[in-house]
Structures are given as structure tokens and as C-alpha cells.
Amino acid sequence: MRLLDVLRSMTDLLESEGIEDAFVDSEALVLHASGIDRLKAYTENPEIDDRHVSIIRRLVDRRAKGEPVQYIIGHVEFLGLDIQVGKGVLIPRPETELLALEAVHQLKNEKPEVMDSSSLTPYSSLRILDLCTGSGCVALALGRDFPDAEIIGTDISVEALGFAGRNAVANGIDNVVFLKGSLFEPVSGLPPFDLIVSNPPYIRSRDIEGLQREIREWEPLSALDGGEDGLVFYRDIFFGAGPYISGAGKIIAEIGFDQAEEVREIAERAGFRNISFKEDFARMERIVKAEK
């Protein structure tokens, strides 16, 4: 069969199963399984042998059962990093790229308060903590952009930390350490951090059932459920940050699309100032920034 014929057939199959982005998902799986790049696929429409058609069909069948495309392919691109994902770890999303980009922007547009006099690099004394690190995507993006910084990512999930460690190796980033534990517990007794970043669970418990099938049935509940009001982790982070954040330190975190004012109130009650928000591509306030 020709590649485009296979693509049409697989798209029809996914549409019959009610998959919303049937064509996009089919295209991703067909190109992945065939090893053919997108330009060649559409300009040459090459022949696909029976073995590859069979492989494609197995992958598409998995998608038809609700498994996310990213899990099937096994990786996702995140700000130029190749991030391995699979069952047990949250799939990075565009909003989380905004979180990492905002953290980079904040750091690069401020002169570090403290510099190591023995070093010529301005970020050699920079310490960053990534709470609920998951796949490690945010910590690793910061580690790549600030190779002289010391970065720690924490998470309660052994599965997620396994992916994070493999992602560090795969992307050649060696200044990020991943520790198991809830939020600040693994870094108790360590020197304070200049920046704390986090993409914590923030979905209200009652809203989990209404999420898309591929999210609620496949992605880890522990990375989604933010408690009854979705704000449990923000309270724990802002009120618990005191011993772990430097005097001029900041917290930058991803939030739900309708949580800005509630998160602002939490941050203010915890003693943070200069609280502001960054919008996502849909003009929703999705990133909170707060100064100690």
C-alpha cells in the first residue's frame, strides 16, 4: 500500500472510534512507524510493505483504545529536548513550556544577587528547585540553559523519577539531580534556593471524571488531582517555602486556567509580593510569579 492510502485508512479507523484528532494522530503514528519524514511522505507517497502496515495498525489500535499518542511513540519534544514519556508520568504540555520559558526569562534578565568570586560564570551559584518534577522536562530545560547552576527536582513517583533520570542522560544534562519525596521533604536541611518552579497537580477532584479519556484513564492521577478545590499544592508550596527560598528568591508555577485570583490570595497570605501572571496562547492566566 502507498503511505497516503495507509494514512487515510488509519484515520478512518480512529474516526470510527470517536478519536477527536484522528488525522493528526494517524499521521504521527504512520510517520513514526514507517520511519519516513513528512516531506517525503507527501511529495513521494512511497510504498509501505506489509510488515510496516502491520506495525502501524497495532499502534493505531492502541490509540483507538485511548492510549495517548505520546505514550505510544514514547517521547515528546519539549523546548528542543527529547523527553521520554510513558505510563506513570505526565505528558508535558505547551503551558509547561511557558513555565520553563518564563523561568529562563526571569533569570536571564536579572543579575544574580550572589556570584562565586572564584568563577567567571554569573550563574555558578544559582540554585533552582523544581517541585513535582515528573518527567524532569522543566528542570532539564533550565539545566541546559544554565549549565553552571545547581538544580534539584523532587517527586513522589518512582516511575516519574525513572523517566526524569533517563531524560537527563539522553539529553546530556548533568547538573540536575532528582530526589524522591513530597515537595520540600527531600531538600530539608539544604541551602535555600534562588528560584522554585513547579507544575503541581491542580485539577479539582470532582473534575477528573470530565477530563478527556486519554488523560483520565492513562495519565497518573497523582499528577493531576489537586484536591477538592485544586489548590492543595499551592498552599503547601507557598506556605512551606520559607526555609527553602533565599531572601530575594522567586516562585514561578503553572496554574489552572481559572485559578489566578485564588492563587494570588494564597501567595499574599503566605507573605509573597509582586505577584503577577503570564497568559497562555488562549490569553488565560496560566503562570504565576511571586517574590519572597
Side-chain angles (χ1 to χ4, degrees):
M1 294 180 68
R2 293 285 180 179
L3 184 145
L4 296 182
D5 293 327
V6 176
L7 178 56
R8 279 190 287 269
S9 175
M10 297 301 106
T11 300
D12 290 344
L13 189 156
L14 290 185
E15 285 179 344
S16 71
E17 295 293 333
I19 301 299
E20 186 174 343
D21 295 318
F23 174 77
V24 173
D25 292 353
S26 294
E27 183 187 68
L29 294 172
V30 168
L31 296 180
H32 170 71
S34 67
I36 296 170
D37 66 63
R38 197 168 188 271
L39 179 61
K40 182 176 180 179
Y42 287 100
T43 57
E44 300 182 18
N45 189 20
E47 189 77 24
I48 304 296
D49 62 43
D50 291 343
R51 183 176 71 85
H52 280 94
V53 171
S54 178
I55 293 171
I56 290 168
R57 178 57 188 262
R58 288 199 296 273
L59 298 186
V60 172
D61 283 344
R62 289 169 61 183
R63 180 69 189 104
K65 294 175 183 176
E67 186 173 356
V69 169
Q70 295 90 337
Y71 282 2
I72 298 169
I73 292 176
H75 61 94
V76 62
E77 189 269 337
F78 185 89
L79 297 179
L81 297 174
D82 186 47
I83 300 297
Q84 297 177 30
V85 293
K87 194 165 179 60
V89 69
L90 194 70
I91 297 167
R93 289 173 169 80
E95 294 82 8
T96 309
E97 289 189 321
L98 288 178
L99 168 65
L101 288 171
E102 184 60 26
V104 171
H105 173 78
Q106 291 292 316
L107 291 171
K108 287 191 173 180
N109 283 274
E110 289 186 0
K111 184 177 180 180
E113 293 292 330
V114 179
M115 291 179 62
D116 182 353
S117 60
S118 66
S119 173
L120 297 178
T121 58
Y123 299 103
S124 58
S125 62
L126 182 64
R127 290 174 50 78
I128 302 172
L129 176 62
D130 178 23
L131 302 173
C132 308
T133 193
S135 66
C137 58
V138 173
L140 294 172
L142 293 170
R144 176 195 59 192
D145 285 9
F146 301 99
D148 297 309
E150 180 182 353
I151 303 172
I152 297 176
T154 70
D155 205 291
I156 61 170
S157 168
V158 173
E159 292 84 357
L161 291 172
F163 280 101
R166 291 191 291 275
N167 286 327
V169 173
N171 288 280
I173 297 169
D174 59 8
N175 62 324
V176 181
V177 174
F178 296 106
L179 302 176
K180 182 180 183 301
S182 177
L183 298 179
F184 300 105
E185 289 177 359
V187 296
S188 178
L190 295 182
F193 295 87
D194 305 291
L195 175 66
I196 296 173
V197 294
S198 183
N199 174 25
Y202 54 71
I203 306 298
R204 298 176 185 89
S205 299
R206 66 180 179 275
D207 294 338
I208 297 291
E209 190 58 34
L211 295 175
Q212 293 171 296
R213 176 186 175 192
E214 54 264 47
I215 298 175
R216 71 173 185 271
E217 293 184 3
W218 290 88
E219 296 196 62
L221 183 63
S222 63
L224 299 169
D225 194 340
E228 184 177 351
D229 61 1
L231 301 169
V232 169
F233 285 86
Y234 299 107
R235 295 188 188 93
D236 290 345
I237 290 170
F238 281 102
F239 282 98
Y244 306 101
I245 190 168
S246 66
K250 287 184 174 64
I251 290 179
I252 302 178
E254 182 177 329
I255 65 173
F257 71 92
D258 60 351
Q259 295 175 326
E261 289 313 307
E262 293 169 305
V263 172
R264 180 193 297 278
E265 182 181 346
I266 290 170
E268 287 177 344
R269 286 195 287 112
F272 284 80
R273 59 187 177 83
N274 294 334
I275 301 161
S276 61
F277 297 89
K278 186 174 181 64
E279 295 179 344
D280 63 12
F281 300 111
R283 306 204 67 177
M284 301 287 187
E285 293 178 317
R286 296 302 303 273
I287 307 298
V288 61
K289 300 174 287 180
E291 297 178 10
K292 181 63 176 171

